[in-house]
């Protein structure tokens, strides 16, 4: 909340997009007016999703700090600033 809420005023209206990453996972991105972006990786399924790269930039918060590169763990949530 401390990191994301202050960014909300910088989000570019109507520019958000998402990509499905399997049946229970997605990547959502909110571009900001200053050229940066806020991204969410989310897996609500019981199985890992292979082949998913974390967004470039700063990791704000993740639910599983032991996640393996390029694999989205089950029940994972991660917020990134690029």
């Amino acid at each position: 909340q401390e990191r994301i809420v202050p960014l909300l005023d910088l989000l570019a209206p109507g520019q958000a997009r998402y990509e499905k990453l399997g049946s229970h996972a997605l990547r959502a991105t909110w571009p900001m007016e200053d050229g940066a972006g806020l991204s969410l990786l989310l897996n609500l399924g019981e199985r890992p999703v292979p082949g998913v790269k974390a967004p470039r930039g700063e990791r704000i918060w993740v639910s599983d700090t032991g996640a393996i590169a390029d694999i989205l763990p089950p029940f994972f949530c991660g917020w990134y600033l690029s």
Side-chain angles (χ1 to χ4, degrees):
Q1 180 178 352
E2 293 173 4
R3 296 293 313 276
I4 295 172
V5 171
L7 301 174
L8 297 180
D9 287 338
L10 300 174
L11 299 180
Q15 301 298 311
R17 58 189 182 276
Y18 75 94
E19 171 188 6
K20 288 180 69 176
L21 305 171
S23 62
H24 294 87
L26 64 85
R27 175 193 322 265
T29 305
W30 293 268
M32 292 192 260
E33 294 174 349
D34 65 358
L38 181 64
S39 296
L40 168 69
L41 281 180
L42 186 64
N43 182 4
L44 298 176
E46 296 178 346
R47 300 182 192 273
V49 180
V52 178
K53 294 183 185 269
R56 292 180 181 237
E58 179 186 357
R59 180 176 67 188
I60 297 174
W61 183 86
V62 293
S63 59
D64 182 355
T65 58
I68 300 171
D70 300 341
I71 297 175
L72 200 57
F75 307 111
F76 178 84
C77 178
W79 288 94
Y80 303 85
L81 182 62
S82 58

